[in-house]
Amino acid sequence: MSVDRVVNSVDARTLHGGDISSGCWVIRDRADVDVVVKSGERADLIVIDTAGAECQRVGIKALSGATLNVVHVITESYDHKLDISMSEHVEVSVTQLVVAGAKVNTKAHLQGAGARFVLNGSFVHTDDERGDVTVDVLHEVGDCVSRTAYRGVASGKAQGRFSGLVYIAQDAQRTDAEQLSRNVTLGDAVIHTAPQMEIYADDVRCSHGATVGQMDAEAIMYMRQRGISAADAKRLQIQGFVADTILHAPIAGCGDAMMELLMDKLDRL
Amino acid sequence: MLKIENLHAKVGDKEILKGINLEVKAGEVHAIMGPNGSGKSTLASVLAGNEKFDVTQGSVEYNGENLLELNVEERSRKGLFLGFQYPVEIPGVTMANFMKIAVNEQRKARGEEPLSPAEYLKLMREKSAIVELDSKLTSRAVNEGFSGGEKKKNEIFQMAMLDPKLAILDETDSGLDIDALRIVATGVTRLKREDNATVVITHYQRLLDYIVPDYVHVLYKGRIIYTGDKSLALKLEKEGYDWLINDYKEE
């Protein structure tokens, strides 16, 4: 199965929870896991779901100065929770790919000054799938940075939803936060996007944006004029739209495997 | 190669082409000139098969086939190439990947095997040299962040890669500085052979200093109102279109 390729593409150790130091780790086959990334360590973490489970929750605590890269792949339509707490000067970068009609909730707590959280995500829903992606970025202290960029695609009779929240507490001065949701629908599919900001501090830099669009007809025409069929042109355009997030996956080797997973999904568009 | 007879086309309710007649033979270069809004780009789009336009009358024969019965990609695979006036950006799709798919689709249509990665790289290197296209551009997303000149060079690069029988270049010269113009025009000239043909749509005579046409046509209000040789372009540059348009009105 193609989800295995994501794991096979890297040299990673299986993780069942507990404290981790530098290295590459994989969580799979686990419904409920708590992980602590030790202070100053640099770890890579791949989170994969498996068939047959009912939900998956991964709790991560990154201690001061830790750097963590996360690749989160969702191929099953049950509930997924990713909960990350970040101490001072922690850097966390997450790449999330959702190719099932799942409920996916990601929560980042920025609890130490100088923390930086980056999330690049994509969901692709086909047929009659119902998907629901939630991202909550909680700036609990000041001097932190967050960047969330999510891309959504839905085709057929699918329905997608993106709900984003950037919360900035009263004491979280000098916060720098961005949130972007870009979506493309095909056929009768629908995507709802609701980016939200709750700002209680006054010295902050925040921006958010959301778009829902159709395919770019001119780009399709351009590709067809070069001999590419209409169906392939559509696929190529969607692939390009989503690939942007995946190709920058922070764990070397994972990008190509995620791309293959995405291509399998795009065959169903 | 191409025979257009009494071609009428409209977009929405508006008739733009009102009876075009044009014959292009292998080995020829035709220039189509004319004031803004005369239908030059519409003619290019209709020949390429853009579904935005409805052909209401007339016929187009292309290498013995009814061109109007073929869809956009079929026309391309049969060797018809359109150089776009406004090349389109395709984020996330690299130029190299885009052209590989296009080249192999065309090969498949001719019953040929796809190119091996080594053959493809060789072809890409060879053809990008023709238009002095920076090889780094091929690893970037299609037309994304390309300068105006790079976009137009990129059109001719694609033309070189696909090796068309009939190339229609829609205002490929617009927005080019003199160096880029020379490079683009030299590229087109180098690709010219006895068995292919080029239709150059242009606003200005200056492109025709580099690409010497066998025929120059003036398109006005959806019809070709005058045909001459390359000296016509020079005369148009000096005297404008008024003398032709005035004659036409009197007709």
Side-chain angles (χ1 to χ4, degrees), chain A residues 222 224-227 230 236 240, chain B residues 73 76-77 80 82 155 158:
Chain A
Y222 190 74
R224 291 178 68 199
Q225 209 301 306
R226 301 308 186 234
L236 199 57
Chain B
E73 53 269 39
S76 166
R77 292 169 193 165
L80 189 147
L82 173 64
E155 291 297 289
Q158 293 176 52

Side-chain angles (χ1 to χ4, degrees), chain A residues 29-269:
Chain A
D29 301 324
R30 290 270 144 175
D32 199 339
V33 184
D34 279 293
V35 177
V36 176
V37 185
K38 291 196 276 191
S39 182
E41 300 290 332
R42 303 179 68 90
D44 291 340
L45 181 62
I46 299 168
V47 182
I48 302 280
D49 58 5
T50 38
E54 280 171 6
C55 64
Q56 187 183 43
R57 190 199 72 89
V58 175
I60 299 170
K61 209 177 175 105
L63 302 182
S64 66
T67 304
L68 177 68
N69 294 317
V70 181
V71 163
H72 191 193
V73 181
I74 290 118
T75 61
E76 296 290 326
S77 58
Y78 47 80
D79 284 12
H80 296 73
K81 279 196 172 74
L82 182 65
D83 195 278
I84 305 171
S85 299
M86 301 165 65
S87 301
E88 63 272 15
H89 299 292
V90 162
E91 289 202 19
V92 173
S93 177
V94 180
T95 299
Q96 200 165 57
L97 176 64
V98 183
V99 289
K103 203 170 163 184
V104 183
N105 178 262
T106 306
K107 213 172 245 174
H109 304 264
L110 292 95
Q111 297 169 327
R116 184 183 168 87
F117 176 73
V118 177
L119 169 63
N120 287 302
S122 289
F123 64 78
V124 181
H125 298 317
T126 60
D127 307 296
D128 55 0
E129 288 173 359
R130 298 274 181 282
D132 188 351
V133 169
T134 316
V135 178
D136 299 325
V137 179
L138 311 169
H139 285 264
E140 296 170 16
V141 301
D143 299 294
C144 293
V145 177
S146 69
R147 297 281 181 268
T148 304
Y150 229 102
R151 297 195 176 193
V153 176
S155 76
K157 291 187 161 66
Q159 284 188 22
R161 176 180 295 276
F162 174 83
S163 312
L165 172 68
V166 175
Y167 168 87
I168 300 173
Q170 200 171 352
D171 296 334
Q173 301 295 359
R174 294 169 303 280
T175 290
D176 178 356
E178 275 178 29
Q179 188 193 71
L180 197 64
S181 160
R182 289 183 60 196
N183 305 281
V184 171
T185 57
L186 301 156
D188 296 328
V190 180
I191 294 179
H192 298 281
T193 175
Q196 261 189 74
M197 292 205 146
E198 270 183 50
I199 305 173
Y200 298 100
D202 46 24
D203 179 16
V204 298
R205 197 191 146 272
C206 288
S207 65
H208 68 148
T211 56
V212 181
Q214 309 280 316
M215 302 288 291
D216 180 349
E218 284 187 19
I220 302 288
M221 172 65 200
Y222 190 74
M223 290 188 260
R224 291 178 68 199
Q225 209 301 306
R226 301 308 186 234
I228 298 170
S229 71
D232 284 346
K234 272 185 197 170
R235 243 170 60 106
L236 199 57
Q237 192 179 36
I238 294 290
Q239 181 196 328
F241 177 69
V242 185
D244 249 16
T245 47
I246 293 169
L247 290 175
H248 301 112
I251 302 175
C254 279
D256 289 347
M258 287 167 90
M259 204 63 209
E260 284 178 42
L261 204 59
L262 175 68
M263 297 301 286
D264 290 349
K265 184 67 176 178
L266 294 183
D267 281 340
R268 304 177 58 92
L269 277 182

